Amino acid sequence: MPMDPDVMTIVSHLSRYWRQHPDACDTAEGIARWWIDVEPQPVPATLVEGALGWMSACGVVEALQAADGRVRYRRVSTDAALGARLDALVDNPQSVLPTGKPRVH
């Protein structure tokens, strides 16, 4: 499934960020504002949400609904296999194909 080039750029940025900060967790809005170092800043929420949806479908990110009703995103694990998948996404976001629909826990 081809992705929008701007979404691919965000997937690459987020993959790199989660490799450097494996325990990071935030909302799409927080991610757009604080995690991604590109112009214009902040990145449009639609691009970040598209990237997070892709990464969730690829099985590297999970969405968690907090008690306040907001959805936060984090890596599904900190193991080496997931690290390798994130590395692949940094280099080429389309190298890791979605495995199913994104889930919210």
Side-chain angles (χ1 to χ4, degrees), residues 26-104:
D26 207 342
T27 63
E29 296 82 13
I31 290 168
R33 182 169 175 92
W34 302 109
W35 295 21
I36 303 170
D37 187 24
V38 296
E39 292 297 328
Q41 182 68 347
V43 174
T46 56
L47 290 179
V48 173
E49 289 166 359
L52 291 167
W54 176 267
M55 295 176 81
S56 180
C58 289
V60 297
V61 172
E62 64 183 346
L64 304 166
Q65 185 146 12
D68 66 2
R70 296 175 56 173
V71 176
R72 291 171 174 79
Y73 297 87
R74 68 178 183 189
R75 286 175 58 156
V76 296
S77 75
T78 57
D79 67 13
L82 183 68
R85 293 185 80 190
L86 287 169
D87 287 341
L89 287 170
V90 168
D91 294 333
N92 178 4
Q94 294 192 70
S95 67
V96 178
L97 299 176
T99 58
K101 290 185 174 183
R103 297 179 307 191
V104 175

